[in-house]
Amino acid sequence: MKFRPLHDRVVVKRVEEDTKTKGGIIIPDTAQEKPMQGEIIAVGPGGRDETGKLIPLDVKAGDIVLFGKWSGTEVKIDGVEYLIMKESDIMGVLEGKPASKKVA
């Protein structure tokens, strides 16, 4: 199944963060917070201004982004968890960081 977001919405898959601190301490699953960064999987065509002109999004599929702790709506598509959020919920794009481990 494919999912195409509408307007200025994006589909994000959370990127798993390290389970160890820099000092080597392992953080148990119960103490970990949900990651606030993810990889953009799909983007909508963009929003419209007052005149009806289409304004394209600044992000694209494959970008690694930071978003707020409570941003987006969690959905499950084909057994995989995603977040659907508006582009305005994204705080920024992490430049030069490859998508590492992903939460399944």
Side-chain angles (χ1 to χ4, degrees), residues 3 10 15-16 18 24 31 37 48 59 71 73 76 82 95:
F3 181 82
V10 297
V15 175
E16 188 175 305
D18 291 334
Q37 54 180 280
R48 297 206 179 263
V59 294
S71 297
T73 302
K76 220 176 218 188
Y82 297 101
E95 302 280 333

Side-chain angles (χ1 to χ4, degrees), residues 46-67:
R48 297 206 179 263
D49 64 9
E50 298 83 30
T51 63
K53 182 181 170 197
L54 187 66
I55 302 169
L57 302 182
D58 289 333
V59 294
K60 62 188 180 313
D63 283 349
I64 305 297
V65 296
L66 289 176
F67 48 86

